[in-house]
Amino acid sequence: NKIKKMKTTKLFEIKLRGFSGRKFYVVDVESTNAYNRLRKYLDKEDYGNSYEREFERITVIATDYILDSTDAINYKSFLLMDNKEN
C-alpha cells in the first residue's frame, strides 16, 4: 500500500530583536506565516516596542506529517524532531 503525504505543519521557534532573548513558538505551514501571526498578536496586544517585535531568527523545531494510507488506519501522524544544534 502506498502512503502519500497530505499535509505538513511545522513548529517554529521565533527569536525577536527585543524581549531579552525570549523565544516564541508558533505552529504553521511556513515561516513567514508563523512570524506574521506572532507579529499581529504582539501588535494587537501592544507588547513591547515596535522595533523589538522584528524577527531575528526563525528555526524549525519539529515537522508534523499527516499521512493518508489505504491501510485499516487511514490517518497516521508522525512527529519528526530536528536534531540540528543551534
Side-chain angles (χ1 to χ4, degrees):
N1 294 332
K2 285 191 170 183
I3 296 176
K4 64 178 183 177
K5 184 168 63 168
M6 292 184 61
K7 181 181 177 185
T8 303
T9 56
K10 298 174 183 170
L11 172 62
F12 294 97
E13 177 185 86
I14 303 174
K15 184 174 183 313
L16 303 176
R17 288 180 71 184
F19 306 109
S20 301
R22 185 173 182 182
K23 297 173 184 172
F24 298 88
Y25 297 89
V26 179
V27 174
D28 210 308
V29 294
E30 64 177 48
S31 60
T32 303
N33 290 345
Y35 170 69
N36 288 337
R37 287 177 58 207
L38 175 61
R39 179 66 190 243
K40 183 177 178 181
Y41 173 79
L42 296 175
D43 287 346
K44 179 183 169 196
E45 298 297 319
D46 196 29
Y47 191 69
N49 295 315
S50 181
Y51 70 88
E52 292 178 313
R53 300 177 202 146
E54 294 175 9
F55 91 95
E56 184 175 299
R57 184 182 72 219
I58 298 178
T59 307
V60 176
I61 300 299
T63 303
D64 183 39
Y65 295 99
I66 298 173
L67 303 175
D68 180 17
S69 171
T70 54
D71 294 335
I73 300 173
N74 285 335
Y75 295 98
K76 299 178 183 178
S77 182
F78 298 92
L79 183 64
L80 304 175
M81 297 302 293
D82 183 358
N83 294 332
K84 290 188 268 184
E85 294 288 327
N86 295 327

